[in-house]
Amino acid sequence: MSAEKPAHKAHRKFSRRARIATGGAVLAAVALGGFGAVSANASGQDAPAKSAAAASVPERATTTSTHLTIDAATRAAQAAFDAAEKENQRVTVAVVDRNGNTVVTLRGDGAGPQSYESAERKAYTAVSWNAPTSELAKRLEQAPNLKDIPGTLFLGGGVPVTAGDAPIAGVGVAGAPSGALDEKFAKAGADAVARR
């Protein structure tokens, strides 16, 4: 009998631990379940209050900006790329939106590795100043620090796309032997958007 008592005590001790652990797990599950139900009810009740509390700003406090659609950006990139291909030039074409974010990039077979970044930077520069990058390169004589602005590249090959004289996109081409050729192809891209 005495041999059974220690085993019984150990069993009893284990059972108490097991009961405490199980009870704790059950309480946690019930608490989480209750919390979830309360959260679901609270969010359901708060939904109308949140929308009622949303501020409606007057129209004079907002502005609307115009951006190229993805289809128009793709047409511009393809037209620039096709113009370069007709002259057997291996280039990269980039189209950026009004904010300078790249929308479309086409990298031709055999285009140099530097052409990808250069095309994006030319497009960004053109839309930022609403001018072809060949014109902007001339401004460096009077303001050489312009070239220090991050993300810009003052070499021929970038042209802006405008709507109502405001820049809405930029087309950049890089990889041809001259900036004049790059810009010729970029202009073909911008013109493709204007034709439709």
Side-chain angles (χ1 to χ4, degrees), residues 41-52:
N41 286 337
S43 65
Q45 292 169 354
D46 286 349
K50 283 182 184 174
S51 62

Side-chain angles (χ1 to χ4, degrees), residues 8-118:
H8 181 55
K9 272 188 175 178
H11 177 67
R12 208 169 172 196
K13 206 174 200 182
F14 177 74
S15 293
R16 179 179 281 168
R17 285 184 190 159
R19 280 185 279 161
I20 290 171
T22 304
V26 168
L27 284 174
V30 169
L32 287 174
F35 177 74
V38 169
S39 295
N41 286 337
S43 65
Q45 292 169 354
D46 286 349
K50 283 182 184 174
S51 62
S56 179
V57 297
E59 194 172 309
R60 68 182 181 278
T62 64
T63 185
T64 302
S65 59
T66 303
H67 295 267
L68 282 183
T69 63
I70 187 68
D71 290 338
T74 302
R75 271 197 319 275
Q78 191 63 57
F81 190 78
D82 291 346
E85 254 189 351
K86 283 180 187 170
E87 296 192 29
N88 297 314
Q89 297 301 316
R90 297 175 178 167
V91 300
T92 297
V93 179
V95 178
V96 301
D97 67 11
R98 174 63 189 104
N99 301 320
N101 300 310
T102 303
V103 180
V104 177
T105 306
L106 296 175
R107 184 177 180 276
D109 295 335
Q114 79 289 353
S115 67
Y116 188 90
E117 183 180 348
S118 296

Side-chain angles (χ1 to χ4, degrees), residues 150-179:
T152 60
L153 186 58
F154 293 89
L155 297 174
V159 297
V161 177
T162 60
D165 294 329
I168 61 168
V171 180
V173 176
S178 72

